[in-house]
Amino acid sequence: MAARSLTPPPPRRPVLSPTGPSPSGQCQRMNIPEDQADKLLLASWGLPKAVLEKYHSLGVVHMFEWQAECLMLGQVLEGKNLVYSAPTSAGKTLVAELLILKRVLETHKKALFILPFVSVAKEKKYYLQAVQTLPLVF
């Protein structure tokens, strides 16, 4: 199976903020500089080889620019809060997965992934079991 990137998100641009809206109600937006274009590759985020290989086998090699922007905001990778919104099927879950996997693998602490429906929770359980390298408790 050839590697492919995620399908493009809907035209509406997601809203990003490391801590929520600013006092003016506007959220921070940023663009990835050309010299950091490698941040669109999953391999640039320090995930274990086994996790990357699993994502690659599922066809996920690149992320959208807005997803990389989420990961680059403030101190999100160090555990600070991130508030973001995007349309359905735009790729929000990948950002959460990467943050959770990276944090769990680096700190060896537990994480809680809250999903809105039992069917989505079951689907995510099987998906995360497929990409994880550490035992997960569900």
Side-chain angles (χ1 to χ4, degrees):
M1 173 192 249
R4 57 187 162 83
S5 62
L6 298 167
T7 48
R12 197 173 84 196
R13 180 158 170 75
V15 178
L16 313 171
S17 173
T19 58
S22 66
S24 68
Q26 298 297 312
C27 289
Q28 177 179 346
R29 293 182 192 261
M30 60 185 280
N31 290 311
I32 296 178
E34 278 190 43
D35 64 336
Q36 293 186 1
D38 64 321
K39 294 293 185 186
L40 297 177
L41 297 172
L42 288 182
S44 298
W45 294 97
L47 295 169
K49 184 178 179 183
V51 172
L52 283 174
E53 287 174 354
K54 190 60 181 179
Y55 272 114
H56 291 178
S57 75
L58 296 170
V60 182
V61 177
H62 298 89
M63 65 178 78
F64 297 124
E65 185 174 310
W66 75 265
Q67 291 169 317
E69 289 173 5
C70 282
L71 298 176
M72 294 170 62
L73 282 172
Q75 294 178 319
V76 171
L77 292 174
E78 286 79 41
K80 297 297 181 184
N81 293 335
L82 171 68
V83 176
Y84 61 106
S85 67
T88 301
S89 298
K92 297 180 294 289
T93 303
L94 180 63
V95 174
E97 285 175 14
L98 293 177
L99 288 170
I100 288 172
L101 284 170
K102 192 160 175 44
R103 188 84 172 152
V104 166
L105 293 170
E106 289 175 356
T107 66
H108 303 286
K109 292 184 179 180
K110 295 179 182 180
L112 180 64
F113 201 157
I114 300 174
L115 298 161
F117 303 105
V118 172
S119 60
V120 174
K122 285 181 180 179
E123 178 184 320
K124 191 53 55 187
K125 170 188 170 182
Y126 296 124
Y127 179 78
L128 288 173
Q129 284 176 328
V131 299
Q132 61 90 24
T133 57
L134 296 175
L136 297 179
V137 178
F138 293 95

